[in-house]
Amino acid sequence: MPPFLPALVRRAAGEIERLLSSAVEQGQDMIAQAQRHRAEIDRLRAEAAAQRERADRLERALAEQSAGLEAVRRQVGALVCDLNERLLPQLDARIHESEQDVTRLATRMLRAGQEAERQQSRLAAAEQRLADLRERTGRLEQRTGIWRELQANVARLGEDLDRLRAAGRPVDLPGAGGRNGHEVLP
């Protein structure tokens, strides 16, 4: 046997051994994964069974509620028919009375509105008169102020004349000529 064959056989055997151990590890990983998937599937099956049971309970509860609602619907229908038979004639009479009341109220409101408009126009006229009076009062106050100034000036002029007379000077009044048409001042 050639000398390189045993080394080649050993390398091939080592490679096969490594591949086998890798395959064994992958197989074990796949088995563990399958077991996890199986556990997940079992859990989902149990959850689906619980959901089915819950849905069945809900359907039964809904059927019971539907029957109860149908009974209530029948009772309400009977009550509505009874109320219509008893109350509609009275309601018609009351509606007619209410319409008459509303008409009377609307008429009163229209009259009140017209009266309010008249009062408003009277108020506007009174306000206009008041504004006119205030304007006249303002003009009168201006005239009164001018008149008081005039009186004060005349009083000062009289006092000036009295002083000049007391001083013994001749007095020329404005517009009376004076010397060269000018006023004589102290």
Side-chain angles (χ1 to χ4, degrees), residues 11-74:
R11 271 186 25 208
E15 185 64 27
I16 289 172
E17 203 177 294
R18 187 185 64 74
L19 287 174
L20 282 175
S21 68
S22 173
V24 167
E25 284 178 18
Q26 286 179 353
Q28 287 174 348
D29 286 345
M30 289 174 81
I31 289 171
Q33 235 177 9
Q35 287 174 348
R36 282 194 303 271
H37 286 313
R38 177 168 283 152
E40 181 67 21
I41 289 170
D42 290 342
R43 184 186 67 77
L44 289 173
R45 281 184 183 157
E47 200 173 297
Q51 292 295 335
R52 246 184 259 119
E53 177 62 31
R54 187 171 173 209
D56 290 341
R57 282 194 314 258
L58 285 173
E59 284 179 9
R60 285 191 298 272
L62 284 174
E64 290 171 6
Q65 288 179 356
S66 178
L69 283 174
E70 188 58 37
V72 167
R73 208 176 277 137
R74 282 191 302 271

Side-chain angles (χ1 to χ4, degrees), residues 9-174:
V9 170
R10 270 186 262 144
R11 271 186 25 208
E15 185 64 27
I16 289 172
E17 203 177 294
R18 187 185 64 74
L19 287 174
L20 282 175
S21 68
S22 173
V24 167
E25 284 178 18
Q26 286 179 353
Q28 287 174 348
D29 286 345
M30 289 174 81
I31 289 171
Q33 235 177 9
Q35 287 174 348
R36 282 194 303 271
H37 286 313
R38 177 168 283 152
E40 181 67 21
I41 289 170
D42 290 342
R43 184 186 67 77
L44 289 173
R45 281 184 183 157
E47 200 173 297
Q51 292 295 335
R52 246 184 259 119
E53 177 62 31
R54 187 171 173 209
D56 290 341
R57 282 194 314 258
L58 285 173
E59 284 179 9
R60 285 191 298 272
L62 284 174
E64 290 171 6
Q65 288 179 356
S66 178
L69 283 174
E70 188 58 37
V72 167
R73 208 176 277 137
R74 282 191 302 271
Q75 289 176 352
V76 168
L79 282 172
V80 166
C81 288
D82 188 38
L83 285 174
N84 284 339
E85 289 173 2
R86 290 182 185 179
L87 293 179
L88 279 181
Q90 294 173 2
L91 284 177
D92 286 340
R94 287 185 182 169
I95 287 172
H96 182 66
E97 290 172 6
S98 296
E99 287 173 349
Q100 289 176 346
D101 290 344
V102 167
T103 303
R104 284 192 292 269
L105 180 63
T107 304
R108 281 189 218 139
M109 289 179 71
L110 285 173
R111 288 180 186 154
Q114 291 169 350
E115 183 62 29
E117 284 181 26
R118 277 185 283 215
Q119 292 296 331
Q120 188 68 25
S121 65
R122 288 179 190 160
L123 181 62
E127 287 177 350
Q128 182 60 41
R129 284 189 219 144
L130 182 61
D132 291 344
L133 286 175
R134 284 183 180 152
E135 185 179 333
R136 288 180 187 172
T137 303
R139 286 193 304 247
L140 184 59
E141 285 175 353
Q142 282 180 331
R143 290 177 188 159
T144 304
I146 292 170
W147 178 249
R148 286 185 181 148
E149 277 184 41
L150 181 62
Q151 284 178 335
N153 287 339
V154 167
R156 278 194 300 265
L157 183 60
E159 290 171 3
D160 289 344
L161 284 173
D162 289 342
R163 271 185 301 189
L164 288 174
R165 281 188 192 140
R169 290 188 184 170
V171 176
D172 286 335
L173 294 176

